[in-house]
Amino acid sequence: MSTTGAPPRARMDLGFWSFIVLMLALTALFVALGVWQVNRLAWKEGLIAEVTARLNQPPYDLPPVAEWPSTDLDSFEFHPVATSGQYVPDKTILVFTSLSDPRGKLGGPGDWVITPFAVDGGGTVFVNRGFVPQSQVQAFVGPETVPRGHVSISGIAVAAEQAGAFTPGPDIAKRTEWVRDPARLATLAGVSGPVLGFTIDLPAGAAGALPQGGETGVEGPNNHLGYALTWFGFAILTPCLLGFWVWRQLRPARA
């Protein structure tokens, strides 16, 4: 039996107001996170558009080795480049990777096969010849699979990857590195002299050919829209839950 004018079920004390402030603060936080993800989405889409435009431009010639120390490496990133010289076949290095979204037939755990290339006029640039699955990668460490003689190559310039605090040192026995950093690659390969500060990714070859080239692109998934919708969903749900909780606290008690 209900009683008209019965006292509320809870007093509007400090705990009551503290919970309301907490929930409103969470709502504001969720909105801010949603807006941040929308901004990240715009940034990622702009980056993809810029990289796509660069990938389709005519190649730059590599600058002479004397200009390498002063070269603006950022202007080459994700841009086609061309050069001539010859591979150093006995100094191939493997760089571990996991190809989650391959453009070719093969993906998953494996390695980039990276061979130093002696440029005409001096200096060395490391060339990423492509991806090889882990089960087959040791067949590409030796010089047998490396093109011989003077060749002209063209590919995509890729900026040096930075080692993190937890990046392990090179596996010398397996000639394996963990980041595509030309300085680290030169140390493991035993290359001396000037080394260009980016690597060159070769394009795709014949279907099914290894190493599998043509895997250059903006790495990482673009899930920012999904994240933004999630945060905005929380921002809508939180005040609804708060309103229901306040109604439950303030409705008249049953006799």
Side-chain angles (χ1 to χ4, degrees), residues 173-206:
K174 294 183 177 180
R175 299 183 63 81
T176 298
E177 258 291 2
W178 311 100
V179 290
R180 288 183 282 176
D181 178 353
R184 288 177 57 130
L185 296 176
T187 298
L188 181 56
V191 171
S192 59
V195 175
L196 193 55
F198 57 73
T199 57
I200 298 176
D201 283 8
L202 292 187

Side-chain angles (χ1 to χ4, degrees), residues 178-252:
W178 311 100
V179 290
R180 288 183 282 176
D181 178 353
R184 288 177 57 130
L185 296 176
T187 298
L188 181 56
V191 171
S192 59
V195 175
L196 193 55
F198 57 73
T199 57
I200 298 176
D201 283 8
L202 292 187
L210 291 177
Q212 179 176 287
E215 296 293 338
T216 311
V218 181
E219 298 181 357
N222 185 9
N223 297 324
H224 299 296
L225 178 59
Y227 296 151
L229 293 176
T230 299
W231 290 124
F232 286 137
F234 286 150
I236 294 171
L237 180 62
T238 302
C240 292
L241 294 175
L242 175 61
F244 178 74
W245 179 83
V246 170
W247 174 76
R248 287 290 301 271
Q249 298 301 308
L250 298 181
R251 70 175 178 169

Side-chain angles (χ1 to χ4, degrees), residues 77-97:
E77 187 174 7
F78 291 120
H79 198 288
V81 294
T83 190
S84 297
Q86 56 186 346
Y87 288 101
V88 184
D90 59 341
K91 295 184 181 295
T92 293
I93 298 296
L94 304 175
V95 177
F96 177 79
T97 189

Side-chain angles (χ1 to χ4, degrees), residues 52-63 75-84 152-157 198 200-203:
T52 302
R54 284 193 175 200
L55 292 175
N56 294 314
Q57 292 179 1
Y60 293 152
D61 290 329
L62 289 189
S75 66
F76 282 85
E77 187 174 7
F78 291 120
H79 198 288
V81 294
T83 190
S84 297
S152 295
I153 62 170
S154 62
I156 305 299
F198 57 73
I200 298 176
D201 283 8
L202 292 187

